[in-house]
Amino acid sequence: QKQIGLCSDDEDTVSMAMTVFDRLVSASMQSLAQVGRLEVGTESQVDRAKSTKSFLMAFFQEHEMHNVEGLDAYSACYGGTNALFSTVGWGQSEAWSGQYGVAVCSDPAVHPQPEALSGIGASAVGMLVGAEPVMAVEPERVSFIKQAW
């Protein structure tokens, strides 16, 4: 491991997700009206009741946009992968509206055993999923999920 990123006390999975979503929309120069799905992958709940996606909907609320499908996937390191696969699946389904999907992966990864360096560190990434991809997701996929601690 060459680098590790940690967040400060005033950041959490929501603030990191909001930052990466805002940067993705700004960098892609897409209108929020072109987003039809928003999926979040994380392993950190904020208050055990409200999803991170609910907080991200504040960006759409300013434009009175409330019809954005998606949810949070809470699943350790696999949450982000699931968010991407789910968003791609939506784009390949009959439910696809022709709009873009966004997969946001965000986690401060604070674990009860901080001495395990491979299990800590903060990161966030946003991916725009659409009909004209820069990178293709192959139809054949393999997942590896194992219960271990």
Side-chain angles (χ1 to χ4, degrees):
Q1 186 168 346
K2 294 184 180 183
Q3 291 183 334
I4 188 168
L6 302 170
C7 58
S8 62
D9 291 345
D10 64 345
E11 289 188 287
D12 60 13
T13 193
V14 171
S15 65
M16 292 175 11
M18 291 184 88
T19 298
V20 78
F21 180 79
D22 188 46
R23 288 180 181 174
L24 176 66
V25 171
S26 295
S28 68
M29 295 186 279
Q30 299 296 327
S31 161
L32 287 176
Q34 293 175 291
V35 177
R37 183 173 185 90
L38 174 59
E39 191 91 12
V40 177
T42 183
E43 60 184 272
S44 299
Q45 291 180 320
V46 180
D47 65 4
R48 297 183 187 204
K50 192 170 185 181
S51 70
T52 301
K53 183 199 180 236
S54 297
F55 287 96
L56 292 173
M57 288 303 295
F59 289 102
F60 297 91
Q61 194 167 318
E62 296 173 10
H63 304 285
E64 296 188 21
M65 295 175 54
H66 307 287
N67 186 19
V68 180
E69 291 185 17
L71 50 83
D72 284 11
Y74 296 105
S75 181
C77 298
Y78 192 75
T81 302
N82 187 75
L84 176 61
F85 284 171
S86 178
T87 304
V88 169
W90 169 78
Q92 295 170 336
S93 76
E94 291 182 18
W96 183 51
S97 62
Q99 296 170 289
Y100 287 98
V102 175
V104 173
C105 312
S106 172
D107 197 68
V110 178
H111 291 284
Q113 296 175 333
E115 63 276 2
L117 270 180
S118 64
I120 63 171
S123 64
V125 64
M127 295 167 276
L128 192 63
V129 177
E132 301 163 6
V134 174
M135 174 184 80
V137 177
E138 296 292 328
E140 185 176 321
R141 304 190 295 228
V142 176
S143 291
F144 179 83
I145 303 171
K146 179 181 176 182
Q147 163 53 23
W149 184 251

